[in-house]
Amino acid sequence: MTNLTTQKVLILGGSGAMGSAVARLVAAAGGDTIIVGRDEAKLAGAAVGLGSRARALVGDFAIEAEAARIYALAGRVDHVVVALSTGGSRASSIPGTDLAGFKSAHARLWASYNALHLAQRFVAPGGSIVLVSGSSGRRPTHGFGVWTTLHGGIEALARAAAVELAPIRVNVVSPGGIGMRPDRQLAAHAGTPEDVATAILALITNPAVTNAVLDVDGGERLGRWSGGARAA
Ligand SMILES: NC(=O)c1ccc[n+]([C@@H]2O[C@H](COP(=O)([O-])OP(=O)(O)OC[C@H]3O[C@@H](n4cnc5c(N)ncnc54)[C@H](OP(=O)(O)O)[C@@H]3O)[C@@H](O)[C@H]2O)c1
């Protein structure tokens, strides 16, 4: 049974599918939960049921001054989870995306950078940071080229930060298509946000793991692409 009773966890994107699943697991393990997002009403909804030790902070973590303000309000934290959504359009090819679109699609990279850049001031030395990438980072798929650079960039950033921020641990979870038909992967299970959250908790709580990328994709990168259809 995971015990986080002495731990404080800052969850960026805590009102989203994966972030709120992480928040529920942290709260169930007795940890202090701080969820962050830009929309106050969405955050308030996500905080319901997390218990009296949960807090919600509104702000845009892709903006450095906002990130510093949120870190300061949170106080010293033990773990940070960066589960923000991708900025801009959902899927984007390199020929079909202009530079402005490319930059805005990388909001999660900017937020991940802010979390790491400021970490030595705000994250406890034995603590950890978990970034979220995606399977397209190592398996390019036609029409998703911008995601490949985003997810590959996040994984490269984590590799460098694990060295430069030690003893703070830095790890990545790389999800596949959540809710996608499993026929494009090896496992007979359509991934859920809870699967991703369980993997994030494993990285937070294992003091021997840093500089790791944990794939939660049902073996999608080794399976075949079926066009992205949703599971029935
Ligand atoms: N779902 C999949 O199949 C899949 C597969 C691979 C990778 N991923 C990646 O996993 C990540 C999480 O996915 P998800 O489905 O949990 O996303 P989601 O449900 O859209 O949640 C995203 C969360 O991020 C917050 N957010 C977005 N931009 C923010 C910012 N600049 N500052 C602070 N908060 C911000 C959102 O709240 P506000 O909008 O209120 O700010 C929300 O709480 C995404 O980046 C996604 O690309 C997803």
Side-chain angles (χ1 to χ4, degrees):
M1 175 79 183
T2 305
N3 185 337
L4 293 174
T5 45
T6 61
Q7 309 280 291
K8 190 198 285 184
V9 185
L10 179 66
I11 303 160
L12 312 176
S15 58
M18 294 179 197
S20 61
V22 174
R24 287 192 294 275
L25 288 184
V26 171
D32 285 339
T33 311
I34 305 175
I35 56 174
V36 176
R38 295 163 300 178
D39 182 318
E40 193 169 2
K42 246 166 71 178
L43 270 182
V48 172
L50 292 181
S52 57
R53 285 168 60 188
R55 293 166 63 196
L57 298 175
V58 181
D60 186 337
F61 217 82
I63 299 170
E64 185 173 347
E66 286 277 284
R69 181 184 65 79
I70 289 164
Y71 256 139
L73 286 171
R76 178 58 67 104
V77 298
D78 297 290
H79 306 283
V80 182
V81 176
V82 187
L84 305 183
S85 45
T86 302
S89 65
R90 291 292 299 159
S92 28
S93 68
I94 292 169
T97 306
D98 64 13
L99 186 58
F102 181 76
K103 286 181 179 172
S104 82
H106 282 65
R108 183 156 34 113
L109 183 60
W110 319 145
S112 299
Y113 188 82
N114 286 335
L116 296 164
H117 167 63
L118 298 167
Q120 284 172 330
R121 282 166 54 195
F122 297 107
V123 179
S128 77
I129 299 179
V130 180
L131 307 182
V132 174
S133 64
S135 55
S136 59
R138 277 166 291 143
R139 181 187 177 172
T141 304
H142 194 81
F144 293 84
V146 171
W147 285 16
T148 296
T149 69
L150 168 66
H151 293 150
I154 287 172
E155 292 179 11
L157 181 63
R159 276 196 297 279
V163 172
E164 294 191 356
L165 300 186
I168 295 170
R169 297 180 293 111
V170 182
N171 293 298
V172 178
V173 165
S174 174
I178 298 302
M180 294 295 182
R181 277 198 344 236
D183 68 346
R184 72 178 196 174
Q185 58 190 38
L186 302 179
H189 167 76
T192 67
E194 288 70 26
D195 298 329
V196 177
T198 304
I200 289 173
L201 257 283
L203 294 174
I204 285 177
T205 53
N206 192 325
V209 182
T210 189
N211 200 18
V213 177
L214 180 49
D215 294 311
V216 185
D217 65 0
E220 177 186 291
R221 284 170 302 107
L222 300 174
R224 61 195 161 77
W225 176 250
S226 66
R230 293 263 154 205

